[in-house]
Amino acid sequence: MPPAVRAAFVLLLALAIPLSACLPGPSDTASVKRVGSCEMKAGVECSGANLSNSDLSGLDLSKANLSGANFFRTNLTGTTLNAANLSGASLAGATLSRTQLTGANLSGVKLAGLDLTEFNLSGANLSGADLSGAKLVKADLREATLTKANLSGADLTDAILTGATLTKASLGGATLVKTDLRAANLSKADLIAATLTGADLSDANLTATELDNTTLDGARLRGAYLQGTSLTGASLENADLTGIYADGLYLRGARLKGLRAPGCEGPACEALSPSPPPAATPPR
């Protein structure tokens, strides 16, 4: 081979090595998950997207803007959506096993009937969300915002809602057995016919809360604030109301057997004393 040709061949070979290094390999393209025009990654802007029937399992979508997106039958197993914006999205039919939603914006989201057992939703914004009939057993909702959320018929057994905001929330017929509601704001919430047996509502705000026909047997309401609270037909047997503030309560037909309210303050404290048994009629 002439020297000039050999030199040109060597030069081309030297150039080919760095060029090939710049070309995308199989692993580079495979690591990018695309759904339509959306590149699914942390911080992605993809509001209103149709993500139905997609497999997004295991992806990190933290701080993504997916507001108004459709997640029907979407696989979100192990997906990280911490601090993501999912406001107005539809998650009906989605698979949410081990999905991370800490601090996510879920306002107005449809989660009716979903199994969210042991989910971490602490600090999440669920204002106006539809959680009716949802299973939230042992879920972590501490400091969550649930203003005007629909939780009617939901199962919140052993759930943690310390410091949560449930103003004007609908919890009619919900199960809150042994639920931790310490320092929760339940003002103007509807808990008619709910079951709160053994629940902890210490330091909770129960201003104008509707607790008609609600079961509060064995519940702790230490230091709670009850003003204009409706407890018509409610059962508070063996409940602990130590140190509460009580004013303008509606207690018609309420069952107060074994109720304790030492240190109660406010004009309605006397009404919380169980009625003494009728005096025996002396024999004639």
Side-chain angles (χ1 to χ4, degrees), residues 198-209:
D200 193 345
L201 293 114
S202 299
D203 299 313
N205 182 353
L206 296 166
T207 303
T209 305

Side-chain angles (χ1 to χ4, degrees), residues 183-260:
N185 186 352
L186 289 152
S187 59
K188 297 182 179 179
D190 172 6
L191 288 105
I192 295 174
T195 303
L196 289 104
T197 305
D200 193 345
L201 293 114
S202 299
D203 299 313
N205 182 353
L206 296 166
T207 303
T209 305
E210 296 182 68
L211 292 158
D212 300 335
N213 300 312
T214 296
T215 302
L216 287 150
D217 295 341
R220 289 167 58 92
L221 289 90
R222 287 175 167 251
Y225 190 90
L226 290 83
Q227 184 171 40
T229 309
S230 182
L231 290 152
T232 302
S235 180
L236 292 106
E237 295 187 3
N238 301 310
D240 183 358
L241 280 70
T242 302
I244 68 164
Y245 178 85
D247 182 19
L249 304 186
Y250 300 91
L251 291 162
R252 183 176 180 179
R255 298 182 293 283
L256 309 176
K257 182 180 178 180
L259 180 147
R260 306 179 303 284

Side-chain angles (χ1 to χ4, degrees), residues 79-122:
T79 306
T80 300
L81 287 157
N82 296 335
N85 183 1
L86 295 160
S87 58
S90 176
L91 289 156
T95 302
L96 292 163
S97 176
R98 303 190 310 280
T99 309
Q100 299 297 313
L101 291 158
T102 304
N105 183 353
L106 294 155
S107 57
V109 169
K110 297 176 182 177
L111 295 161
L114 291 183
D115 187 349
L116 301 170
T117 299
E118 297 185 354
F119 259 61
N120 186 350
L121 292 159
S122 57

